[in-house]
Amino acid sequence: MKYNSTTDKNNVVSASQAIAQGIASDGGLFVPQEIPMYTLSDIEEMTKMDYVGRAKKILADYLDDFSADEIDECVTKAYASEKFGSNNPAPLSYQKYDDIDINVLELWHGPTSAFKDMALQILPHLLTKSLAKTAPNKEAVILVATSGDTGKAALEGFKDAAGTKIMVFYPVDGVSPMQKRQMTTQEGENVSVCAIRGNFDDAQTGVKKIFTDKALIDKLAENDYLFSSANSINWGRLLPQIVYYFSAYAELVNDEKIALGDKINVVVPTGNFGNILASYYAFRMGLPINKFICASNANNVLTDFISSGTYDKNRSFYATISPSMDILVSSNLERFLYHMTNENDKKVKEWMTSLKTTGSYSVDDETAEKIKTLFVGGFCDDEKTKETIDEFFNKYGYLCDTHTAVAVNVYKNYVETTGDRTPVVLDSTASPYKFSGSVLEAIANGETIPEDEFAMVDLLSSKTNTEVPKPLAALKDKQIRFTNVVNADEMPQFVLKTLGVE
Ligand SMILES: *Cc1c(COP(=O)(O)O)cnc(C)c1O
């Protein structure tokens, strides 16, 4: 199976090239040229497999230049039970909110307590194998700009991965205290972490500049290094996310919540549109999905896009209590548009160019209608998010984080307005302990909240009678290793200095 760029169909590469390169040379994103189709009996087969078995099947169908042994090794290492606490890294938790049944898909049992682990635990394995096939004898330098969760998950995934070095840049005042602590204490010989004076966009722009800095690229090449990317535009991050939708469906069948062939709705707290796009690929592969419910926080650019067909990032940016969804340019929407226009690379290029130059674009009426028949958008602000955390916990006994709460609130409104009671899979994307301060504020009824992050974590645990994830608890005793802070324009020098290339 080959992959081509969303903005140039003639730009065609193999699976391993798509993963090694990350982004297409014309600036587009790689998409598969065919989408494998599963029948209900294929899905029935999956009900008898464990998560690793399901992942092997799906990855093998997309990565045809990987051998079965290679895929086996990647999947088995990534989803080992030591890493995710059990042999099901993506368990369902059956909850009720008012009289609404919510099947919560908990995607945060990995080493960094956020759903990014589902992809970033396997990406390093896929990437090192892809590099060995396409650029042997080179060492990969992975650069990551992060608003918190991606950086830590990438560090943890790439730590001591042979043939790689990883550097993470984060905005000095733009991440939660726990997220900062997670990154600055990171272990591993091949990792470095650097704070940027500026916001997330400054860090992201800095990384993008480095990726296209010819002089810098050449200097690295002389020393047998090449740049690569671990952010969610890489196909190697999207593909592993398709697996948990099939897995959740198989579990619902096994637990007799649905019958094989029944439709489900999915609800996804969305930022970059990667997670919800993975569910759309699952649908195209034959998973019976009725509606995709796209939940946003106050940065509701996607809600407006789904209802109007116009994407407009010229609007205020809000720093919310669900920071991993504070985003105005959802990169993976580009892949979705490519598929929704029946693979029209010209249109996608036109819209993406308009987005870059004017900050907005409008899709044609036909595409807008098509999107609306499948997708529903909704959003909620911080107040509603906290109310939802409070009610879901204090009335119904389930503790969730701020991102998940946005999804719960949007879903509850959806059911109330439409009456659609199709069984649901609702993604829970982070452990509440990653955002202890906001979660405590939501459930504490005015009680004083300690300032120290670990005191907050302990209070949350004693108040809710839930367990602190072990990797978060362990941070308290870890030494801070990285204290660098630089201006965004000093990032190239930081890279060279870290590599010992002057
Ligand atoms: C990254 C992230 C999201 C958004 O996921 P996308 O794939 O970017 O839409 C939601 N919640 C949490 C906790 C995240 O870390």
Side-chain angles (χ1 to χ4, degrees):
M1 184 195 300
K2 296 285 186 196
Y3 291 75
N4 64 251
S5 164
T6 46
T7 47
D8 180 5
K9 274 187 174 174
N10 295 319
N11 191 349
V12 178
V13 298
S14 66
S16 55
Q17 279 173 310
I19 293 172
Q21 264 175 254
I23 186 162
S25 49
D26 65 300
L29 306 185
F30 288 120
V31 279
Q33 291 193 321
E34 303 130 54
I35 296 177
M37 189 67 199
Y38 294 169
T39 61
L40 281 183
S41 72
D42 291 327
I43 297 173
E44 186 172 22
E45 279 303 305
M46 280 195 220
T47 62
K48 296 167 203 151
M49 301 174 184
D50 62 6
Y51 194 88
V52 162
R54 292 164 189 157
K56 279 194 224 169
K57 174 176 169 59
I58 292 168
L59 266 59
D61 285 334
Y62 278 100
L63 305 177
D64 63 356
D65 58 348
F66 281 59
S67 70
D69 282 348
E70 286 175 325
I71 288 182
D72 192 301
E73 190 192 324
C74 292
V75 172
T76 314
K77 282 188 176 163
Y79 301 115
S81 58
E82 309 91 82
K83 295 203 158 155
F84 285 88
S86 80
N87 70 349
N88 185 0
L92 283 163
S93 173
Y94 299 123
Q95 299 298 330
K96 238 182 176 19
Y97 193 121
D98 293 346
D99 66 335
I100 303 169
D101 288 311
I102 305 186
N103 309 314
V104 182
L105 181 59
E106 293 181 346
L107 300 171
W108 41 263
H109 292 281
T112 79
S113 307
F115 96 98
K116 303 288 194 291
D117 288 328
M118 297 304 299
L120 280 163
Q121 278 298 309
I122 192 166
L123 180 68
H125 301 293
L126 298 174
L127 188 66
T128 48
K129 291 200 166 28
S130 297
L131 286 166
K133 290 176 201 292
T134 57
N137 311 320
K138 294 268 189 201
E139 189 158 359
V141 179
I142 319 287
L143 299 184
V144 180
T146 185
S147 59
D149 288 336
T150 299
K152 176 60 185 181
L155 286 164
E156 199 54 40
F158 278 95
K159 118 182 128 184
D160 296 328
T164 70
K165 291 209 177 340
I166 175 160
M167 297 179 202
V168 169
F169 298 94
Y170 70 93
V172 67
D173 296 318
V175 300
S176 81
M178 186 58 92
Q179 288 173 323
K180 186 170 191 164
R181 187 85 169 208
Q182 281 187 305
M183 291 190 279
T184 56
T185 56
Q186 177 65 44
E187 291 162 359
E189 291 303 313
N190 64 339
V191 306
S192 37
V193 174
C194 181
I196 299 299
R197 289 185 198 95
N199 60 25
F200 169 66
D201 279 332
D202 299 320
Q204 172 131 45
T205 307
V207 164
K208 278 194 188 148
K209 269 196 195 144
I210 295 175
F211 276 132
T212 50
D213 183 334
K214 183 84 172 55
L216 203 58
I217 293 170
D218 289 347
K219 197 173 249 180
L220 257 72
E222 283 165 27
N223 293 276
D224 290 330
Y225 287 120
L226 55 82
F227 287 127
S228 194
S229 146
N231 63 23
S232 77
I233 53 177
N234 194 318
W235 176 250
R237 268 192 66 179
L238 214 44
L239 173 59
Q241 295 183 237
I242 298 173
V243 177
Y244 49 73
Y245 290 103
F246 278 97
S247 186
Y249 191 91
E251 295 295 316
L252 287 173
V253 172
N254 286 343
D255 292 343
E256 296 177 358
K257 297 282 175 185
I258 59 172
L260 186 71
D262 284 355
K263 287 192 175 183
I264 57 167
N265 286 342
V266 296
V267 188
V268 185
T270 297
N272 225 358
F273 210 76
N275 198 0
I276 197 164
L277 182 67
S279 72
Y280 173 74
Y281 278 111
F283 167 72
R284 290 284 305 268
M285 292 165 72
L287 194 70
I289 297 178
N290 172 45
K291 285 274 187 225
F292 301 83
I293 299 160
C294 175
S296 303
N297 62 27
N299 297 292
N300 58 357
V301 60
L302 285 167
T303 315
D304 290 348
F305 172 69
I306 292 166
S307 68
S308 71
T310 295
Y311 194 96
D312 189 358
K313 71 159 186 144
N314 303 307
R315 56 177 71 215
S316 307
F317 174 86
Y318 300 102
T320 73
I321 59 171
S322 44
S324 303
M325 291 153 65
D326 290 348
I327 193 158
L328 292 180
V329 178
S330 299
S331 327
N332 270 301
L333 196 60
E334 180 172 338
R335 285 188 167 107
F336 180 58
L337 293 174
Y338 179 81
H339 293 299
M340 292 308 272
T341 54
N342 302 319
E343 289 79 44
N344 192 328
D345 55 345
K346 306 270 174 323
K347 271 189 184 169
V348 174
K349 192 178 171 80
E350 190 189 305
W351 296 335
M352 291 305 118
T353 306
S354 171
L355 181 65
K356 271 188 206 115
T357 52
T358 70
S360 79
Y361 60 88
S362 295
V363 301
D364 56 89
D365 292 347
E366 192 193 331
T367 305
E369 274 313 307
K370 222 166 133 183
I371 292 173
K372 255 196 271 186
T373 59
L374 283 176
F375 277 64
V376 181
F379 74 99
C380 83
D381 63 14
D382 283 353
E383 267 327 293
K384 284 268 177 286
T385 306
K386 284 191 202 165
E387 271 172 44
T388 306
I389 294 173
D390 183 22
E391 217 181 37
F392 206 1
F393 178 71
N394 284 319
K395 250 169 115 174
Y396 304 104
Y398 185 73
L399 185 68
C400 73
D401 92 296
T402 48
H403 304 76
T404 308
V406 168
V408 171
N409 182 275
V410 167
Y411 178 58
K412 191 168 154 275
N413 284 340
Y414 170 80
V415 173
E416 280 162 5
T417 49
T418 61
D420 179 2
R421 296 274 178 161
T422 305
V424 75
V425 166
L426 183 144
D427 288 359
S428 176
T429 49
S431 155
Y433 285 94
K434 260 198 123 157
F435 305 93
S436 307
S438 304
V439 172
L440 269 176
E441 267 175 41
I443 61 168
N445 298 322
E447 201 179 308
T448 355
I449 295 162
E451 273 189 23
D452 175 72
E453 188 67 16
F454 293 101
M456 282 186 209
V457 163
D458 290 341
L459 179 61
L460 186 59
S461 178
S462 61
K463 260 189 109 57
T464 61
N465 207 12
T466 57
E467 229 176 286
V468 187
K470 284 192 190 74
L472 292 183
L475 288 178
K476 200 171 169 179
D477 304 318
K478 287 209 168 138
Q479 219 182 324
I480 308 266
R481 292 183 65 200
F482 301 103
T483 53
N484 308 295
V485 188
V486 305
N487 295 327
D489 61 4
E490 296 167 327
M491 287 166 64
Q493 288 92 302
F494 177 84
V495 171
L496 292 175
K497 207 172 129 214
T498 306
L499 295 174
V501 175
E502 295 294 341

